[in-house]
Amino acid sequence: MSRTLTFRIFRYDPQLPGDKPMMQEYQLQEAPGMTVFIALNLLREQQDPTLQFDFVCRAGICGSCAMVINGLPTLACRTLTSNFGKGVITLMPLPGFELIGDLSVNTGKFMRALSERLQAWLNPKEVNQDMHRLERPMEPELADVIYESERCIECGCCVSACATAQMRETFVGAVGFNKVARFALDDRDARDAEEFYHIIGDEDGVFGCMTLLGCQDTCPKNLDHQGQVAYLRRKLSSPQRIL
């Protein structure tokens, strides 16, 4: 027998004059295998077409449906309603991002600004590339490590779960460390430890991280954020960098 779920959802449209933040309750019959994402779509289709939330892939790849579910930043499409024994589910937008409306936040604006700030692109050692030359081979072990960093979907869960990021808006955070580590590991990148130090070698970077590891606990892709922070700290504090 299906049970009745109660959803307590944050509602607020900053574009609507006079609107104020509030929590609104909805009831919905649970179905086998129902996720929070499926439930939200049913609520919008059947009860309230004004409900705002984001989604694209519905498969845990795009990161668009990230939100705070019963106090934990995670993906709605990967969260089963059956996980909540009492049948009461509270949904809030991710903190630390510009609110678009209700559960929808602008993670894209944040991620683009972060990438530009960190120069998160390859700075090739060879400036003049011969397009007809065979691609330079890479050791499989290194390729695997780089690929692991590339699995980040920029959902923003790590930012919202980070106490330092919530206290200091300029803090790079785990998603930023992952971006930097990806290129610091890549032997095709021309930058050395000294240059990376000037990007993240301060209290807004790896040395400002309190290692509470909220990022590690909430990452839906189970990335090794703790390992990335440790790697960058070792690299930036090595005797070879200190002149």
Side-chain angles (χ1 to χ4, degrees):
M1 179 181 293
S2 64
R3 59 176 179 166
T4 300
L5 300 171
T6 297
F7 287 88
R8 300 184 66 250
I9 301 178
F10 176 84
R11 303 300 309 275
Y12 175 55
D13 187 348
Q15 304 300 319
L16 188 63
D19 197 21
K20 296 181 179 180
M22 59 173 286
M23 298 299 294
Q24 187 168 348
E25 285 196 2
Y26 301 89
Q27 276 73 44
L28 185 70
Q29 287 299 117
E30 187 176 33
M34 177 179 279
T35 63
V36 172
F37 162 77
I38 292 174
L40 282 170
N41 274 277
L42 289 174
L43 289 174
R44 186 156 66 180
E45 291 172 5
Q46 300 175 3
Q47 299 185 33
D48 191 344
T50 68
L51 186 60
Q52 299 182 65
F53 60 94
D54 297 318
F55 70 93
V56 177
C57 74
R58 301 175 291 178
I61 298 174
C62 71
S64 299
C65 67
M67 60 187 66
V68 179
I69 303 177
N70 280 14
L72 183 71
T74 189
L75 301 181
C77 68
R78 298 287 296 274
T79 304
L80 295 170
T81 57
S82 59
N83 293 343
F84 307 100
K86 296 182 180 181
V88 178
I89 302 173
T90 301
L91 305 179
M92 301 284 292
L94 291 180
F97 298 97
E98 177 186 346
L99 180 68
I100 295 175
D102 299 340
L103 304 175
S104 176
V105 297
N106 196 343
T107 55
K109 179 180 178 180
F110 175 92
M111 296 300 174
R112 175 167 181 168
L114 184 64
S115 292
E116 292 176 349
R117 171 186 170 188
L118 300 178
Q119 301 176 41
W121 52 80
L122 187 72
N123 288 251
K125 293 179 179 178
E126 301 178 28
V127 178
N128 298 316
Q129 297 284 345
D130 181 0
M131 300 302 294
H132 301 287
R133 190 180 64 181
L134 290 176
E135 184 176 346
R136 184 168 65 83
M138 176 183 289
E139 290 298 325
E141 294 78 9
L142 177 57
D144 287 342
V145 173
I146 293 175
Y147 169 74
E148 186 67 15
S149 299
E150 292 281 15
R151 292 198 305 110
C152 175
I153 58 176
E154 299 187 349
C155 61
C157 289
C158 62
V159 177
S160 294
C162 176
T164 309
Q166 299 310 311
M167 292 188 296
R168 191 163 64 249
E169 292 182 357
T170 52
F171 183 63
V172 171
V175 64
F177 300 149
N178 187 73
K179 288 175 179 291
V180 173
R182 180 257 178 270
F183 294 104
L185 286 162
D186 198 326
D187 61 4
R188 298 167 300 178
D189 198 284
R191 289 170 289 184
D192 57 18
E194 185 72 20
E195 291 177 86
F196 286 117
Y197 182 86
H198 287 295
I199 298 175
I200 57 167
D202 56 15
E203 65 177 7
D204 285 334
V206 289
F207 299 112
C209 173
M210 297 188 292
T211 59
L212 298 176
L213 300 181
C215 53
Q216 187 91 14
D217 295 336
T218 58
C219 179
K221 309 305 287 186
N222 297 315
L223 298 180
D224 185 17
H225 293 297
Q226 180 181 8
Q228 298 287 41
V229 171
Y231 162 71
L232 289 171
R233 282 177 170 173
R234 289 195 305 270
K235 185 177 182 68
L236 301 188
S237 59
S238 65
Q240 290 79 9
R241 194 203 65 78
I242 301 175
L243 303 178

